[in-house]
Amino acid sequence: MRIPLSIRGWRRAALLLSCALGAAASHAQAYPDGKPIRLVVPYAPGGAADIVARLLAEKLGTGLATTVFVENRPGADGAIGGQAVASAKPDGLSLLVTVSSAHTLTPLISKGAPDPVRAFEPVATVGKLGLIAVVRSDFPARTFQEYVAYARSNPGRSSIGSSTSGIALTSEKLKRAAGLPGVVVVPYKGPVFPALLTGEIDMTLDPFNSVSLIKAGKIRPLAVVAEQRNAEFPDVPTLAELGYKDIRYSSWIGVLAPAGTPRPVVDRLNAAIATAMASPDVLKRFQDHHYEVMVTRPAEFAALIASDIAEWKALIASTPAAEK
């Protein structure tokens, strides 16, 4: 049986709620109170998450009046860095800057990765990026169609390098769609370009880290894995244009806090990130790296994470056991 609160009880409950809300608001206003903020990147320096984290560190430091530094914690396809933040104190001083595959795919295929939903508070996405299929400049194929013809006529002799599990699964799906059972997808823990340039692999799907190599004539773009052609390479078709409409890849870069981080702190971080991403110099740097700015609210980010997990599960289920 429920016992109704007395008037005195209601007043006490209201007072406690008021104090709690006041403490939360006060905490948000004080945050970070001059304390340094750590941005953990679960990959080695030089990748998309690292580049974005270093751009954010400077702007967030100014906006939040504190020191913001980047800490690279590579390993286990993002799981090591993710766990470092998941186990940190939920005070907004340890944040994860990661990409979608590391956050939503790695926990589905690797043991030891933190739960992408329960272990984190989504703060904001900051951008998204597609992929571009590239081969070394002396490779005989000059178009993606020619690569398919080469791989079919040389079964077991062609390979695709992948730097993340997400790219590996996308490569496997592309390989099946193009009818290339003899092509091997080779995983790499670090950059794949040394292997590509030396001929160890023939092709890779790259998140536009290879633009300088393309411009230098060392590698050749064959197709874009994105919704539309890239403005800097307007003559390079999308895979959808070539008939591979089901091959999609749009990876977000986002910021997450440990689960239990106070909502006012998450909201203040979200606002600070939105301000940082609106800076003209940040927009220019994103354009230079072929990243697209995409800032979301925490609830939108949470919905995106849930959608990604569902899509990865479907892709894993459709991948033959021999290819997993």
Side-chain angles (χ1 to χ4, degrees), residues 100 103-104 115-126 252-257 259 263 266-267 270 294-312:
S100 54
H103 190 69
T104 59
D115 187 291
V117 175
R118 296 177 182 175
F120 298 93
E121 297 287 348
V123 177
T125 59
V126 295
W252 50 256
I253 306 169
V255 181
L256 300 106
R263 175 55 52 181
V266 170
D267 289 340
N270 181 274
M294 181 181 73
V295 180
T296 58
R297 295 285 295 160
E300 295 173 315
F301 192 8
L304 181 58
I305 289 170
S307 174
D308 280 357
I309 292 172
E311 287 192 15
W312 286 128

Side-chain angles (χ1 to χ4, degrees), residues 131-135 144-145 147-148 151-152 159-161 166-183 185 203-206 222-226 238-240 242-249 315 318-320 323:
L131 299 172
I132 186 166
V134 295
V135 296
F144 188 78
Q145 297 95 318
Y147 171 79
V148 171
R152 286 177 179 172
S159 57
I160 302 174
I167 292 177
L169 273 177
T170 303
S171 299
E172 291 286 3
K173 188 173 183 180
L174 177 59
K175 168 181 126 173
R176 295 200 310 276
L180 305 175
V183 171
V185 176
M203 187 175 77
T204 188
L205 302 181
D206 165 58
L222 301 183
V224 173
V225 191
T238 66
L239 283 178
L242 299 176
Y244 304 97
K245 296 182 179 180
D246 292 334
I247 308 301
R248 296 174 297 171
Y249 185 94
L315 182 53
S318 69
T319 302
E323 296 176 352

Side-chain angles (χ1 to χ4, degrees), residues 61-82:
T62 301
L64 296 173
T66 191
T67 300
V68 181
F69 64 95
V70 175
E71 179 181 315
N72 295 90
R73 296 287 296 272
D77 212 356
I80 291 176

Side-chain angles (χ1 to χ4, degrees), residues 13-297:
L15 178 61
L16 289 173
L17 178 60
S18 176
C19 289
L21 292 174
S26 176
H27 183 61
Q29 290 172 358
Y31 169 85
D33 197 23
K35 298 181 179 70
I37 297 174
R38 175 179 64 146
L39 302 183
V40 176
V41 175
Y43 289 109
D50 180 71
I51 291 169
V52 170
R54 294 181 190 282
L55 286 174
L56 274 177
E58 179 183 352
K59 295 299 179 181
L60 286 180
T62 301
L64 296 173
T66 191
T67 300
V68 181
F69 64 95
V70 175
E71 179 181 315
N72 295 90
R73 296 287 296 272
D77 212 356
I80 291 176
Q83 188 59 56
V85 173
S87 59
K89 186 177 179 180
D91 54 9
L93 300 179
S94 291
L95 305 173
L96 180 68
V97 181
T98 190
V99 296
S100 54
S101 61
H103 190 69
T104 59
L105 173 60
T106 297
L108 300 178
I109 59 177
S110 301
K111 294 181 179 180
D115 187 291
V117 175
R118 296 177 182 175
F120 298 93
E121 297 287 348
V123 177
T125 59
V126 295
K128 64 179 181 178
L129 57 152
L131 299 172
I132 186 166
V134 295
V135 296
R136 63 185 183 276
S137 58
D138 62 350
F139 192 74
R142 302 193 67 83
T143 65
F144 188 78
Q145 297 95 318
E146 289 180 1
Y147 171 79
V148 171
Y150 172 89
R152 286 177 179 172
S153 61
N154 294 274
R157 294 180 56 189
S158 187
S159 57
I160 302 174
S162 65
S163 57
T164 69
S165 296
I167 292 177
L169 273 177
T170 303
S171 299
E172 291 286 3
K173 188 173 183 180
L174 177 59
K175 168 181 126 173
R176 295 200 310 276
L180 305 175
V183 171
V184 178
V185 176
V186 183
Y188 286 84
K189 293 183 178 180
V192 299
F193 299 118
L196 182 66
L197 294 173
T198 59
E200 186 176 314
I201 57 174
D202 295 329
M203 187 175 77
T204 188
L205 302 181
D206 165 58
F208 286 92
N209 292 325
S210 60
V211 172
S212 61
L213 293 174
I214 295 173
K215 291 182 176 180
K218 295 184 178 181
I219 60 176
R220 180 186 305 126
L222 301 183
V224 173
V225 191
E227 297 175 358
Q228 57 189 15
R229 294 192 182 197
N230 184 272
E232 192 158 353
F233 305 107
D235 296 331
V236 180
T238 66
L239 283 178
E241 292 178 78
L242 299 176
Y244 304 97
K245 296 182 179 180
D246 292 334
I247 308 301
R248 296 174 297 171
Y249 185 94
S250 183
S251 177
W252 50 256
I253 306 169
V255 181
L256 300 106
T261 301
R263 175 55 52 181
V265 171
V266 170
D267 289 340
R268 184 163 189 211
L269 278 167
N270 181 274
I273 288 169
T275 299
M277 296 308 302
S279 301
D281 53 336
V282 171
L283 294 173
K284 176 63 166 56
R285 290 289 300 278
F286 259 57
Q287 183 180 17
D288 291 344
H289 287 287
H290 298 271
Y291 307 153
E292 181 181 341
V293 172
M294 181 181 73
V295 180
T296 58
R297 295 285 295 160

